[in-house]
């Protein structure tokens, strides 16, 4: 009987649940009601009548007609087996499976299609003054116009004259220790008109315009003075017809000449867009301007961060709307550098978490700027400039009544007919050729001796093998003075070719550059025509790119020599130079004009090769005046007067 009551209790509970669910659907919307009906298999009426109908009817009518003994036997067996099994299996199972599962699946799944979220995007653009993308800005040709410039600009470096890097023959002088970090720069025309007066600090850019509507004069002078006291610390004369971008003139580096410029003004625009589903407010906009430059051979790094929130046009941005921030900057296109602009933005929505985004803009500058500067200097052994030394011609006369200790001759080869001197000693044969005279192409054996030693004893003053064009020295024996006369014999292949007699007493005409057969006199004691000199050729990289020296040619008097193998260093960074030395002999006793020209070629890492040349002229103009008077006398038949035979005094044989 307890079992029967339990069955009825379970069935009643199930029936009550269905009734409650059926009543609940009345308060739900149509969509939810359909969902519930689908879960439980029908409408509200079926939920309260269909399950109980078949079982209560046979269970309640059967027992009164059947004896009590059969009712407890069969119904209890079927009731626990069929009804309880189906009730807990079918009705309870759908309720926890479908009813709880469906709401989380359908209700939460729909909102994501309309879920409010924050998403921001940022894009960086950069344009130059001409509206071109900064990455496409072209590097200008560094050479400025030579036909007149209206405006030039310099950056102030606070460097000394020795730091100059230009092909100009620059006039630059430092005073009182040179420029300081802050100075007063005054630039004047040749006539003294002021073009610029400005106090500058290291790194500042100054502009020097022409006065009026004309062009800058051919030469301007810029004085760099102490900003406080006005004391002059540097003076620079700049040739405006030979200017090149990035050349350094003392403490000033050229950055622009008219439309050609190295410092490029750039406009950066940061475009911020709302790509989310709800409005947002820009709360952070930060940028970082980071770059590394190779400026004048030195690597310079800059890392500059800035908060740009205050320049954002509209901080509140609607869905699919955008706002911008704009700022100005500069970059140097004439130097090798890597520029990177990075921007970070943060936006806050009304609901939910904030959103972030970053963008970068990169500019790489690789100037195709190859510039090599060739410079020639020349000094003698005492450090005197060769051009100045050429003007110091020694007195030409050796016979000044003093004893002569040393003579230097150049061996020229050739016969006696080329002699040119004013010695005229009666009965002395000065020069005599043998066997065709000395050959001008072969080496010769020369022996010079003293003929006045007495008793036939000769004293050797010089003995050796000499080539044409080479010098040799004849000196007194044992550091004593030379004898009154010397005899020199020239042999080739042991064959006598020439014999010379030269008076060295100091009392007979003897001048520098006198020629005695195959000898030419170059010096007597300290008086010297031939001065040893040294040319120094320097090749400097004054561009902003590394380069390799690939060609060095020297020409002088029609003689061209390749000197590339003489270069100490061939790969040059900015400001580096290589040196070549070249020895020569300067003859200061012969009127002459010579010019030494050195030309060089260099190849950069990127771009076309560059060239330069320099010349060094030397003018020799001796002021010595010499005249040789020769008197000859011949009769009508050409007979030497001294050789004319006197006639017979008797006029006629008949008398």
């Amino acid at each position: 009987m307890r079992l029967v009551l339990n069955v009825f209790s379970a069935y009643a509970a199930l029936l009550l649940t269905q009734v409650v669910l059926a009543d609940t659907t009345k308060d739900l919307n149509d969509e939810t009601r359909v969902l519930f009906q689908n879960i439980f298999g029908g409408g509200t009426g079926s939920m309260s009548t269909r399950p109980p109908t078949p079982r209560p009817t046979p269970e309640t009518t059967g027992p009164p007609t059947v004896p009590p003994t059969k009712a407890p036997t069969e119904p209890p067996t079927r009731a626990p087996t069929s009804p309880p099994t189906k009730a807990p299996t079918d009705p309870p199972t759908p309720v926890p499976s479908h009813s709880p599962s469906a709401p989380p699946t359908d209700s939460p799944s729909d909102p994501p299609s309309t879920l409010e979220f924050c998403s921001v995007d940022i894009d960086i653009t950069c344009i130059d003054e001409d509206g071109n993308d900064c990455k496409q800005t072209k590097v200008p040709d560094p050479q400025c116009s030579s036909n007149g410039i209206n405006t030039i600009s310099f950056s102030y470096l606070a460097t000394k004259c020795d730091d100059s890097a230009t092909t100009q023959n620059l006039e630059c002088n430092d005073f009182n220790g040179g420029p300081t970090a802050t100075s007063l720069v005054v630039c004047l025309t040749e006539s003294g008109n002021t073009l610029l007066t400005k106090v500058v600090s290291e790194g500042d850019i100054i502009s020097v315009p022409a006065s009026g509507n004309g062009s800058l004069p051919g030469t301007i002078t810029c004085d760099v003075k102490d900003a406080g006291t006005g004391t002059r610390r540097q003076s620079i004369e700049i040739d405006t017809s030979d200017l090149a971008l990035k050349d350094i003139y003392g403490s000033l580096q050229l950055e622009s000449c008219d439309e050609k410029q190295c410092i490029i003004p750039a406009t950066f625009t940061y475009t911020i867009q709302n790509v989310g589903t709800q409005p947002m407010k820009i709360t952070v906009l930060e940028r970082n301007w980071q770059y590394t430059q190779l400026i004048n051979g030195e690597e310079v790094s800059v890392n500059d961060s800035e908060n740009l929130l205050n320049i954002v046009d509209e901080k509140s941005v609607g869905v699919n709307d955008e706002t911008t921030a704009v700022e100005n900057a500069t970059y140097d296109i004439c130097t090798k550098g890597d520029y990177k602009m990075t921007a970070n933005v943060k936006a806050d929505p009304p609901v939910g978490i904030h959103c972030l985004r970053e963008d970068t803009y990169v500019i790489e500058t690789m100037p195709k700027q190859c510039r090599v500067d060739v410079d020639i200097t020349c000094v003698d052994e005492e450090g005197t400039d060769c051009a100045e030394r050429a003007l110091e011609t020694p007195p030409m006369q050796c016979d000044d009544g003093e004893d002569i200790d040393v003579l230097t001759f150049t061996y020229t080869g050739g016969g006696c007919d080329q002699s040119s001197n004013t010695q005229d000693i009666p009965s002395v044969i000065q020069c005599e050729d043998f066997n065709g005279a000395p050959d001008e192409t072969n080496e010769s054996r020369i022996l010079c001796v003293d003929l006045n030693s007495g008793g036939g004893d000769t004293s050797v003053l010089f003995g050796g093998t000499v080539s044409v064009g080479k010098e040799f020295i004849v000196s007194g024996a044992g550091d004593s003075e030379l004898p009154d006369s010397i005899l020199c014999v020239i042999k080739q292949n042991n064959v006598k070719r020439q014999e010379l007699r030269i008076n060295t007493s100091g009392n007979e005409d003897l001048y520098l550059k006198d020629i005695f057969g195959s000898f030419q006199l170059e010096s007597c004691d300290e008086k010297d025509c031939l001065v040893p000199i040294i040319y120094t050729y320097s090749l400097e990289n004054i561009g902003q790119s590394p380069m390799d020296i690939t060609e060095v040619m020297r020409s002088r008097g029609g003689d061209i020599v390749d000197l590339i193998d003489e270069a100490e260093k061939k790969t040059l960074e900015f400001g580096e130079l290589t040196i070549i030395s070249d020895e020569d002999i300067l003859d200061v006793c012969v009127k002459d004009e010579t010019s030494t020209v050195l030309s060089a070629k260099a190849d950069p890492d990127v771009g076309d090769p560059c060239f330069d040349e320099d010349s060094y002229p030397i003018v020799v103009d001796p002021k010595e005046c010499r005249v040789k008077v020769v008197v000859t006398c011949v009769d009508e038949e050409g007979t030497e007067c001294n050789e004319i035979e006197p006639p017979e005094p008797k006029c006629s044989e008949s008398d």
Side-chain angles (χ1 to χ4, degrees):
M1 185 64 180
R2 185 177 297 111
L3 180 58
V4 173
L5 291 175
N6 289 338
V7 172
F8 278 101
S9 297
Y11 195 83
L14 178 59
L15 181 60
L16 180 59
T17 301
Q18 291 181 331
V19 172
V20 172
L21 291 173
D23 291 339
T24 304
T25 60
K26 297 177 182 179
D27 299 328
L28 300 175
N29 56 35
D30 292 339
E31 183 180 352
T32 307
R33 185 182 297 110
V34 172
L35 176 63
F36 270 74
Q37 291 171 353
N38 291 335
I39 293 173
F40 291 102
T44 57
S46 63
M47 293 174 66
S48 59
T49 57
R50 286 177 62 186
T53 300
R55 292 177 176 79
T57 301
E59 299 287 342
T60 54
T61 56
T65 58
V66 181
T69 55
K70 295 180 179 178
T73 303
E74 296 181 6
T77 301
R78 288 194 297 270
T81 302
S82 302
T85 300
K86 292 181 180 178
T89 302
D90 295 337
T93 300
V95 173
S97 300
H98 296 280
S99 187
S101 299
T105 302
D106 295 337
S107 292
S109 296
D110 290 336
S113 60
T114 57
L115 180 64
E116 304 296 336
F117 64 94
C118 176
S119 182
V120 64
D121 194 18
I122 184 169
D123 181 62
I124 305 175
T125 59
C126 176
I127 58 173
D128 60 20
E129 285 184 316
D130 297 326
N132 300 317
D133 189 307
C134 295
K135 298 178 183 179
Q136 306 300 323
T137 304
K138 294 182 179 180
V139 179
D141 181 351
Q143 194 65 44
C144 299
S145 172
S146 60
N147 296 324
I149 299 173
N150 297 322
T151 304
I152 56 178
S153 68
F154 299 97
S155 57
Y156 178 66
L157 304 181
T159 47
K160 295 183 179 181
C161 292
D162 289 343
D163 297 311
S164 298
T166 176
T167 58
Q168 290 191 19
N169 293 322
L170 188 69
E171 290 291 332
C172 181
N173 296 287
D174 290 322
F175 309 97
N176 302 301
T180 57
T182 300
S183 298
L184 172 65
V185 178
V186 179
C187 293
L188 308 171
T189 66
E190 295 173 285
S191 59
N193 294 328
T194 301
L195 299 172
L196 169 74
T197 300
K198 188 174 183 179
V199 175
V200 295
S201 297
E202 187 173 350
D204 286 351
I205 304 293
I206 57 176
S207 179
V208 182
S211 57
N213 297 322
S215 301
L216 288 168
T219 302
I220 64 173
T221 300
C222 291
D223 289 333
V224 181
K225 303 180 179 181
D226 188 282
T229 64
T231 302
R232 187 169 66 163
R233 292 184 173 272
Q234 188 178 81
S235 181
I236 318 161
E237 287 187 11
I238 302 174
D239 181 0
T240 61
S241 66
D242 183 22
L243 295 172
L245 297 177
K246 288 301 177 182
D247 272 10
I248 300 175
Y249 312 93
S251 59
L252 304 178
Q253 183 167 32
L254 187 67
E255 302 292 357
S256 74
C257 50
D258 289 341
E259 73 282 355
K260 293 184 179 182
Q261 56 184 345
C262 289
I263 308 300
I264 304 299
T267 300
F268 283 91
T269 301
Y270 310 92
T271 303
I272 305 167
Q273 185 178 14
N274 184 347
V275 294
T277 61
Q278 57 180 326
M280 65 183 186
K281 184 177 182 179
I282 308 301
T283 54
V284 174
L285 178 59
E286 293 180 344
R287 70 103 172 105
N288 180 254
W289 183 225
Q290 183 177 9
Y291 59 88
T292 300
Q293 285 179 278
L294 192 65
I295 303 178
N296 302 334
E298 296 184 8
E299 189 172 88
V300 178
S301 297
V302 174
N303 195 335
D304 177 40
S305 296
E306 190 74 25
N307 186 349
L308 303 182
L309 186 61
N310 61 333
I311 64 170
V312 176
D313 288 343
E314 294 291 340
K315 297 180 180 64
S316 296
V317 185
V319 176
N320 294 327
D321 288 339
E322 63 182 33
T323 186
T324 59
V326 179
E327 72 165 342
N328 296 321
T330 59
Y331 64 101
D332 192 337
I333 201 171
C334 297
T335 59
K336 182 180 180 181
D338 296 313
Y339 299 81
K340 182 179 181 181
M341 181 68 82
T342 303
N344 293 278
V345 62
K346 174 188 174 186
D348 292 329
V351 179
I353 62 173
H354 63 262
C355 46
L356 306 170
R357 188 55 64 94
E358 177 183 287
D359 192 28
T360 59
Y361 186 94
V362 177
I363 304 172
E364 293 184 0
T365 57
M366 180 63 73
K368 300 176 182 180
Q369 186 183 23
C370 173
R371 301 203 63 222
V372 58
D373 178 42
V374 175
D375 185 63
I376 303 177
T377 59
C378 180
V379 295
D380 65 8
E381 292 177 325
E382 298 178 356
T384 303
D385 187 270
C386 296
E388 297 178 4
R389 181 65 180 84
L391 303 177
E392 299 175 5
T393 302
M396 303 292 285
Q397 188 172 3
C398 296
D399 57 302
D400 53 5
E402 299 292 333
D403 292 333
I404 300 174
D405 297 328
V406 180
L407 295 176
T408 302
F409 295 95
T410 295
Y411 176 62
T412 63
C416 293
D417 57 352
Q418 63 188 1
S419 296
S420 176
N421 61 80
T422 55
Q423 287 195 4
D424 185 16
I425 305 174
S427 71
V428 174
I429 300 175
Q430 185 186 80
C431 179
E432 187 175 4
D433 290 328
F434 302 91
N435 300 303
D439 190 324
E440 296 180 5
T441 60
N442 295 324
E443 291 183 336
S444 298
R445 177 71 180 177
I446 299 176
L447 178 66
C448 294
V449 298
D450 176 10
L451 285 180
N452 299 325
S453 58
D457 184 20
T458 59
S459 175
V460 177
L461 306 175
F462 173 80
T465 301
V466 183
S467 300
V468 172
K470 298 299 182 179
E471 298 176 33
F472 64 96
I473 297 174
V474 178
S475 59
D479 295 330
S480 63
E481 66 273 7
L482 286 170
D484 290 342
S485 294
I486 62 174
L487 171 67
C488 294
V489 178
I490 298 94
K491 293 183 179 182
Q492 289 179 332
N493 298 323
N494 291 323
V495 176
K496 184 177 180 180
R497 296 298 184 103
Q498 193 174 80
E499 189 174 273
L500 301 172
R501 294 173 180 82
I502 304 171
N503 187 289
T504 56
S505 65
N507 297 314
E508 185 66 31
D509 281 358
L510 187 64
Y511 287 81
L512 297 178
K513 291 301 177 183
D514 276 357
I515 299 174
F516 302 88
S518 59
F519 292 1
Q520 184 172 36
L521 184 62
E522 304 292 358
S523 75
C524 51
D525 293 339
E526 71 279 358
K527 299 173 184 178
D528 200 345
C529 286
L530 302 182
V531 180
I533 58 175
I534 300 175
Y535 288 95
T536 300
Y537 313 120
S538 65
L539 296 83
E540 182 181 6
N541 181 356
I542 61 172
Q544 296 294 323
S545 301
M547 67 183 189
D548 292 324
I549 303 297
T550 54
E551 185 178 295
V552 182
M553 304 297 291
R554 188 264 289 162
S555 64
R556 182 188 304 131
D559 182 27
I560 300 177
V561 179
D562 187 349
L563 298 179
I564 185 63
D565 293 336
E566 304 299 321
E568 298 175 355
K569 186 177 183 181
K570 296 182 178 65
T571 299
L572 304 178
E573 300 290 336
F574 173 85
E576 289 187 332
L577 54 83
T578 188
I579 300 295
I580 299 174
S581 295
D582 186 20
E583 296 182 356
D584 197 23
I585 299 294
L586 174 64
D587 192 334
V588 296
C589 297
V590 177
K591 183 178 178 65
D592 191 19
E593 291 187 18
T594 60
S595 181
T596 298
V597 178
L598 190 81
S599 61
K601 173 188 174 185
D603 292 317
D605 289 343
V606 179
D608 298 328
C610 52
F611 306 85
D612 191 36
E613 71 174 29
D614 192 22
S615 62
Y616 191 97
I618 297 178
V619 177
V620 180
D621 188 13
K623 303 303 180 182
E624 189 79 14
C625 177
R626 288 187 67 197
V627 61
K628 180 178 181 179
V629 177
V630 177
V631 178
T632 61
C633 179
V634 295
D635 62 11
E636 292 178 343
E637 297 177 355
T639 304
E640 174 72 30
C641 294
N642 291 328
E643 297 178 358
I644 298 175
E645 296 290 337
E648 291 291 333
K650 187 176 181 179
C651 294
S652 172
E653 293 182 357
S654 59
D655 293 338

